[in-house]
Amino acid sequence: SVVFCGACIFLTLSDDAPVPSGLRYEDLMVKHPVVEEAIDLQAPHVNTGRVRRIKRGSDLSYKCKNMQDYAPDAEINMWKPEIIPMVEKIEKREEEYELLNKGW
């Protein structure tokens, strides 16, 4: 899928490499019920920022431009965790439900 290819390209970037589209790693997470639930549980400003980064990334891709063309001094932390901690909590909860339902 396109998202998987985008994630592969994104992962090849080093920590200090400029992010061409201004996206974060979490913006390219594949839609999965756990990920969607984590996104729904986030604060509104996290979801708003994610949607804006995705729209900006799409626009820059369409224009064949980089983020540095428009905001050369912008510091973007592409590894900032906002959704992944919630995904981990939800996965632990699901594991606990599974164990409780088995009746050990």
Side-chain angles (χ1 to χ4, degrees), residues 27-98:
D27 295 337
L28 299 176
M29 293 177 74
V30 178
K31 283 195 173 187
H32 186 271
V34 173
V35 174
E36 289 181 2
E37 183 179 353
I39 290 171
D40 290 340
L41 293 173
Q42 293 299 319
H45 73 277
V46 174
N47 290 332
T48 302
R50 182 174 185 270
V51 168
R52 287 180 181 171
R53 285 189 302 274
I54 291 171
K55 287 180 179 180
R56 180 181 60 215
S58 298
D59 184 52
L60 291 172
S61 176
Y62 174 76
K63 294 177 181 177
C64 297
K65 297 284 185 178
N66 289 334
M67 180 71 178
Q68 278 67 34
D69 295 340
Y70 295 100
D73 298 331
E75 291 185 24
I76 301 168
N77 181 2
M78 64 183 173
W79 303 110
K80 182 179 178 185
E82 291 180 328
I83 299 171
I84 291 176
M86 184 64 72
V87 169
E88 291 170 351
K89 288 179 184 178
I90 293 170
E91 287 176 345
K92 286 180 184 177
R93 182 196 69 197
E94 296 297 325
E95 289 175 19
E96 187 176 338
Y97 283 160
E98 193 173 312

